[in-house]
Amino acid sequence: MSRKISATEKRVYTDAARACGIKAGDYVRVLHKAEDHEAGWPNVWVDDMDDAINGVYSVTGVNPVGEVLINISGNPAHAAYSFPYFVLEKVQEQTPQRTKKREAARKKNSQFEEGDEVIVTGLD
């Protein structure tokens, strides 16, 4: 069961998140897992977020309470996860990494390798 976060904890978290300077378009590395509601973070860590640890991702936004929004799937149609600022390290711009699950699914669902040329027919 989740513990209730006090208004003071929320305010301290939000102020610290704003002060860290991470913004939409930045690239960040996910350093480690966070505990649910750790340091006033108003959210919980879900298992899918584990795949992002040690990966580099582009920040899609920062919500009003200071949670950093990151789409770890690489698919813009998928929802972004809300990460606490304190598990992130701002890095120089680079190509975001594929998550382990995404890479495994790509390999499983494709008979082709990256860079293969294909001819598509029968689209009429």
Side-chain angles (χ1 to χ4, degrees):
M1 185 169 177
S2 296
R3 72 175 182 83
K4 186 170 174 76
I5 301 171
S6 73
T8 300
E9 286 176 302
K10 286 181 189 177
R11 188 172 42 257
V12 168
Y13 173 86
T14 300
D15 290 347
R18 288 183 182 143
C20 84
I22 295 173
K23 62 188 180 312
D26 287 346
Y27 286 83
V28 295
R29 179 181 324 282
V30 180
L31 300 173
H32 57 82
K33 183 175 182 169
E35 295 298 320
D36 296 352
H37 306 296
E38 182 179 343
W41 174 43
N43 216 325
V44 297
W45 189 274
V46 295
D47 291 340
D48 286 347
M49 295 165 78
D50 289 345
D51 288 337
I53 295 171
N54 294 320
V56 174
Y57 304 94
S58 176
V59 174
T60 60
V62 179
N63 70 18
V65 296
E67 294 175 295
V68 180
L69 307 176
I70 301 172
N71 180 329
I72 64 174
S73 75
N75 182 340
H78 293 169
Y81 288 92
S82 300
F83 285 83
Y85 72 91
F86 55 81
V87 303
L88 305 173
E89 172 187 42
K90 194 170 175 180
V91 297
Q92 294 298 316
E93 183 175 334
Q94 51 189 283
T95 304
Q97 298 174 348
R98 294 182 171 135
T99 63
K100 294 173 194 167
K101 282 185 183 177
R102 180 174 174 223
E103 185 64 17
R106 183 188 69 79
K107 287 180 179 176
K108 178 182 171 189
N109 295 326
S110 177
Q111 61 187 347
F112 306 107
E113 293 294 323
E114 196 167 312
D116 284 353
E117 293 184 24
V118 297
I119 298 173
V120 179
T121 62
L123 297 177
D124 297 334

